[in-house]
Amino acid sequence: YMPYPLVLYIFINIGLNILVLVVVKYGGSVLNFVVGTVTTSLQYFAFIVNWPLVPSSQLAASNYFGLACSLIGLVLYRVVSMQKDAAEKQAKEIALKEQTAPK
């Protein structure tokens, strides 16, 4: 009964570390920072569950506020970066049309 939570923790930790490496490789350091901030906030919810070796605890209002700020920041970052990418793509398309247009 006792080694199962430890083995589960080890596998989850290894998986999380591999995912962090993948995010850094394909997403960049800024995305890694954002993902790290959100996952740290979400890990607080693991303390609500009554685990076999660790009793459950209550979260303070500041925990919920911090999670909300992190998630709002993530959504705003993603929206702004998508708008920036769309504007750059549109500018490239306009420049390409101007270059290929007959004079």
Side-chain angles (χ1 to χ4, degrees), residues 20-67:
V20 165
L21 290 174
V22 169
V23 166
V24 169
K25 182 176 181 180
Y26 294 108
S29 60
V30 174
L31 184 60
N32 183 38
F33 177 75
V34 172
V35 169
T37 302
V38 172
T39 55
T40 301
S41 301
L42 291 175
Q43 288 172 2
Y44 282 110
F45 288 109
F47 291 104
I48 294 175
V49 178
N50 192 12
W51 296 99
L53 301 176
V54 180
S56 65
S57 63
Q58 296 294 322
L59 294 180
S62 61
N63 295 107
Y64 292 108
F65 178 73
L67 177 62

Side-chain angles (χ1 to χ4, degrees), residues 87-103:
E88 288 176 357
K89 183 179 178 183
Q90 186 178 16
K92 286 180 183 178
E93 289 175 358
I94 291 172
L96 183 62
K97 286 180 184 178
E98 289 176 355
Q99 288 176 352
T100 60
K103 294 182 181 179

